[in-house]
């Protein structure tokens, strides 16, 4: 049996409403109008002795950022203000997102809420949360 390869032009389908969705945040099949909000990307990982949280926060100033811990829930809130638009300026493309954001993470019982280190470095928030001493694995010898 031999295979015959047929060349054909690729079929391209274009969503007729994609331009409206991209420009205006409008979807004709939903009742409400939504706009893109500023939603930073987060990374949470666990190591042997700590938990690490990183968030991409380009353009967020330290004074517009709040990190708090209450009843084992780590909350990160902040905002990024839009730049002032001046009369006579025309935008050909406007994809940057601005506004407020809020994320919360329930910390496990092994997290030590008294040992949290936070820093904002080049638009990246770094949080290090230590583990309780009793939560760390230890070798038992005979």
């Amino acid at each position: 049996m031999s295979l015959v390869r047929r060349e054909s032009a690729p079929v391209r389908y274009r969503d007729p409403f994609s331009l409206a969705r991209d420009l205006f945040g409008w979807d004709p099949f939903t009742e409400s109008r939504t706009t893109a909000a500023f939603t930073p990307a987060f990374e949470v990982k666990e190591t042997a002795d700590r938990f690490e949280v990183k968030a991409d926060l380009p353009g967020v100033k330290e004074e517009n950022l709040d990190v708090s811990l209450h009843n084992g829930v780590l909350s990160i809130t902040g905002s990024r203000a839009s730049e002032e638009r001046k009369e006579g300026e025309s935008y050909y493309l406007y994809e940057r997102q601005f506004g407020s954001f809020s994320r919360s993470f329930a910390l496990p019982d092994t997290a030590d809420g008294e040992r949290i280190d936070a820093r904002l470095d080049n638009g990246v928030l770094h949080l290090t949360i230590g583990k309780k001493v009793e939560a760390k694995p230890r070798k038992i010898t005979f």
Side-chain angles (χ1 to χ4, degrees):
M1 178 162 119
S2 64
L3 296 175
V4 177
R5 184 174 178 185
R6 293 188 179 148
E7 296 291 327
S8 62
V11 178
R12 293 185 183 172
Y13 296 100
R14 178 160 169 81
D15 177 6
F17 299 108
S18 64
L19 182 62
R21 281 188 195 98
D22 293 343
L23 290 177
F24 307 113
W26 177 72
D27 188 340
F29 300 109
T30 61
E31 291 182 24
S32 65
R33 188 176 210 172
T34 58
T35 56
F38 177 48
T39 53
F42 279 80
E43 173 184 295
V44 181
K45 77 175 182 179
E46 179 179 5
T47 66
D49 60 340
R50 66 182 174 266
F51 296 94
E52 295 177 7
V53 178
K54 291 182 185 178
D56 290 336
L57 303 174
V60 175
K61 297 177 182 174
E62 196 171 318
E63 60 265 16
N64 296 333
L65 187 61
D66 181 59
V67 179
S68 62
L69 179 66
H70 182 69
N71 291 333
V73 177
L74 177 70
S75 297
I76 304 162
T77 58
S79 64
R80 182 167 76 176
S82 64
E83 296 170 356
E84 183 180 327
R85 292 186 182 196
K86 296 179 182 147
E87 179 110 13
E89 292 179 334
S90 297
Y91 287 87
Y92 292 100
L93 184 64
Y94 197 81
E95 294 180 340
R96 297 176 65 214
Q97 300 171 340
F98 300 96
S100 298
F101 67 91
S102 180
R103 291 291 301 268
S104 295
F105 303 94
L107 296 178
D109 293 335
T110 56
D112 186 352
E114 299 299 318
R115 295 187 324 145
I116 299 178
D117 180 49
R119 67 179 165 57
L120 186 61
D121 185 32
N122 290 325
V124 179
L125 174 66
H126 300 266
L127 296 174
T128 304
I129 305 147
K131 285 187 177 179
K132 294 178 181 173
V133 175
E134 63 270 14
K136 294 180 185 175
R138 61 186 176 99
K139 183 166 176 74
I140 299 172
T141 57
F142 295 93

